[in-house]
Amino acid sequence: MRALDAVAVRQWADACVRSLDANREDIDRINVFPVPDGDTGTNLLQTMRSALDDLLRTPADENVGTALAALARGALAGARGNSGVILSQVLRGLAEAAQGASTAGGSSLRRALLRADELATAAVSAPVPGTVLTVLHAAAEAARDCGSDDLGEVVTAAAGAGAVALADTPRQLAVLARAGVVDAGGRGLVVLLDALVNVVTGRAPEPTVPGPAVPDPVGAVGATVPRDALTTAREAGSADYEYEVMYLLDGDPDAELLKVSLGALGDCVSVVGDGAGLWTVHVHCNDVGAAIEAGIAVGRPHRITVSRFADQIAAAAPRFVRDRAIVALVDGPGAAELFRSEGAAVLEPGDGVTAADLLAVIVGTRARQVTVLPGDPAWREPLDEAVAQAVAAGQDVVVVPTFSPVQALAALAVHSPTRRAGDDVVAMAEAAAATRRGEVAVSGREAITWVGRCEPGDLLGMLDGEVVLIAPGGEDVGDLACRLVDRMLASGGELVTVLLGRGAPAGLELVLEDHLRVTHPEVELAAYQGGQADALVVVGVE
């Protein structure tokens, strides 16, 4: 590969999630600095999942700069712990260096790694040799000093230098040498660099990531930290502070002033942004209210999470009874039963959906990894809040972008619990994106649409969220539904899925079946009673 494009960035992000998933337990096991809490691998995976989720919401035809910006934005919004914050800044550095570019070659990647090195170092108040920052700095310098602008050679040089620096971390940090391990965050970064080598060159990299045990510089060999020795759940900082406070911040705050304000309240302070107006704030403190008020003074805090370290320790006991679960948010009793019959946990949000309701369903699955299929974009805000809280509590949650129950059905149809979680999410997202969505509804007000004015009571035929057909309220619903299906099939299709709403006329599915038998005999029709209140019929074309 001579240059990275948006498609390659998606491949890399997916590979990162899969590689971190495969290496998570090993990375958690060697996590001894600054505190042996055994969650660096988990935090990196959660942060990268959030980055991939945001990228999957971005149109696939965007340029490399936009794709990397989506990764950085998603990582920042879902950053877990100090390692997640650092990862978000690495991705931000890549995004800033590629801003506006359609592709990124070797020279672009060189600049991107140098910028990532700058931003990640700035995100840590007191950088320490022998950590992920050391590994990143070595990779950036190797890319800078590479004598070629060939993308594969630059990437390979960076990954190789990072692996060498990782192997040397026990000689820089005594706590690593005593435990006989390399730095957990640094190992996570090398996993990501190796994934990039694989995507760019098409070759699996040499096994550059050292195993859990590394010789002590003076000859002794330490043992891996046992799981039962993990007595705290804080990634860093003093035990004098009881709470971890994190929130996103909109606006243009004075980051240094906010750091000073938060520094007076506690430790482990970080205030970092995505370069586009979104910031994440992190602090360990005892006065939760004051930490939030500091954010209010300079911007608009939202998605606020407060965790008590003692509670985290109590919650560390096994609480998951299965590995994977699907949660569907759909309107209508018929649609809900349809999803339940396919094994999904279902919530019918209705008009009064709250983040607490959504969180209860996600947590109630008692699954380690949860994939959420929303059937309506109107539920995005409370869903984002619920997902953030579930992730903060240690659950892997990914939202597949679906804007209609028929797209959610298409995603659920390709779900396979035997696949890797990352592969499964990508397959579901692709199936949803390949499904055109339409509906017939009754207009509730006068409005101007792309195809003219509609009056209250008119029948509206909508395609992918836009009104494309209007008929007076007295006209036949079946006729408008047939015209809408014809329009949706104009660009091809093999399967038409129909969910009949609560107000759909009797026999509408038979009208559609007869119409398709004549006009599109090659197309299969699947009709179900959905029972949704806001649409007479919802149509999906795959």
Side-chain angles (χ1 to χ4, degrees), residues 13-75:
D14 177 56
C16 287
V17 169
R18 287 188 283 109
S19 295
L20 285 172
D21 194 18
N23 287 275
R24 171 174 53 178
E25 291 185 2
D26 285 343
I27 297 174
D28 282 345
R29 189 167 61 248
I30 65 173
N31 178 200
V32 300
F33 179 83
V35 176
D37 60 351
D39 67 352
T40 293
T42 299
N43 287 345
L44 287 171
L45 176 59
Q46 294 283 10
T47 303
M48 198 66 213
R49 281 190 189 282
S50 178
L52 176 60
D53 182 35
D54 205 292
L55 178 60
L56 291 175
R57 299 174 187 273
T58 304
D61 58 352
E62 295 292 347
N63 59 40
V64 69
T66 303
L68 287 169
L71 273 184
R73 182 174 58 248

Side-chain angles (χ1 to χ4, degrees), residues 442 477 500-506 508 529 531-537:
V442 178
V477 174
L500 301 169
R502 187 186 309 165
L508 178 58
Q529 291 293 334
Q532 64 273 9
D534 58 347
L536 299 176
V537 60

Side-chain angles (χ1 to χ4, degrees), residues 304-345:
I304 300 168
T305 60
V306 178
S307 303
R308 185 172 180 266
F309 291 119
D311 291 343
Q312 291 179 352
I313 296 170
R319 62 189 178 91
F320 301 123
V321 297
R322 53 178 172 157
D323 289 331
R324 309 264 287 280
I326 303 292
V327 170
L329 313 178
V330 292
D331 186 26
E337 186 56 37
L338 179 61
F339 278 88
R340 288 192 187 97
S341 68
E342 296 297 324

Side-chain angles (χ1 to χ4, degrees), residues 28-364:
D28 282 345
R29 189 167 61 248
I30 65 173
N31 178 200
V32 300
F33 179 83
V35 176
D37 60 351
D39 67 352
T40 293
T42 299
N43 287 345
L44 287 171
L45 176 59
Q46 294 283 10
T47 303
M48 198 66 213
R49 281 190 189 282
S50 178
L52 176 60
D53 182 35
D54 205 292
L55 178 60
L56 291 175
R57 299 174 187 273
T58 304
D61 58 352
E62 295 292 347
N63 59 40
V64 69
T66 303
L68 287 169
L71 273 184
R73 182 174 58 248
L76 184 73
R80 287 282 301 278
N82 292 356
S83 54
V85 170
I86 291 173
L87 174 57
S88 76
Q89 294 306 284
V90 171
L91 295 174
R92 176 187 169 186
L94 299 178
E96 287 189 359
Q99 186 174 11
S102 58
T103 60
S107 58
S108 297
L109 184 65
R110 179 182 296 118
R111 292 192 302 272
L113 286 172
L114 290 170
R115 180 57 177 157
D117 183 29
E118 292 176 6
L119 289 172
T121 301
V124 178
S125 55
V128 176
T131 65
V132 60
L133 297 178
T134 304
V135 176
L136 176 59
H137 184 66
E141 287 197 325
R144 181 196 63 194
D145 297 336
C146 180
S148 169
D149 283 339
D150 179 78
L151 178 62
E153 292 187 24
V154 173
V155 170
T156 302
V164 171
L166 174 63
D168 200 45
T169 54
R171 296 167 179 82
Q172 298 171 296
L173 272 178
V175 64
L176 299 178
R178 285 195 297 270
V181 299
V182 295
D183 178 67
R187 180 169 181 178
L189 178 62
V190 170
V191 166
L192 303 185
L193 291 173
D194 283 349
L196 185 57
V197 171
N198 191 9
V199 168
V200 170
T201 66
R203 302 187 303 272
E206 295 296 323
T208 54
V209 181
V214 190
D216 184 276
V218 295
V221 178
T224 301
V225 176
R227 297 288 296 184
D228 56 11
L230 308 179
T231 57
T232 180
R234 66 181 78 232
E235 236 187 349
S238 169
D240 293 338
Y241 300 110
E242 192 174 2
Y243 297 97
E244 178 184 57
V245 179
M246 294 188 71
Y247 51 83
L248 298 180
L249 189 67
D250 290 337
D252 185 22
D254 185 329
E256 294 305 318
L257 181 61
L258 182 54
K259 286 181 183 178
V260 171
S261 300
L262 295 172
L265 300 173
D267 64 6
C268 292
V269 174
S270 64
V271 180
V272 297
D274 67 348
L278 180 66
W279 299 76
T280 188
V281 178
H282 176 279
V283 62
H284 295 180
C285 63
N286 291 322
D287 191 340
V288 173
I292 297 172
E293 288 170 359
I296 294 174
V298 296
R300 186 181 74 84
H302 57 103
R303 206 182 295 180
I304 300 168
T305 60
V306 178
S307 303
R308 185 172 180 266
F309 291 119
D311 291 343
Q312 291 179 352
I313 296 170
R319 62 189 178 91
F320 301 123
V321 297
R322 53 178 172 157
D323 289 331
R324 309 264 287 280
I326 303 292
V327 170
L329 313 178
V330 292
D331 186 26
E337 186 56 37
L338 179 61
F339 278 88
R340 288 192 187 97
S341 68
E342 296 297 324
V346 178
L347 173 65
E348 297 179 62
D351 295 330
V353 61
T354 67
D357 296 330
L358 298 170
L359 181 63
V361 175
I362 293 171
V363 174

Side-chain angles (χ1 to χ4, degrees), residues 477-513:
V477 174
D479 177 66
L480 185 65
C482 290
R483 289 163 55 198
L484 177 63
V485 169
D486 286 342
R487 187 155 185 158
M488 296 175 70
L489 288 170
S491 57
E494 300 173 352
L495 172 65
V496 174
T497 302
V498 171
L499 292 179
L500 301 169
R502 187 186 309 165
L508 178 58
E509 69 276 20
L510 299 178
V511 173
L512 288 170
E513 183 180 2

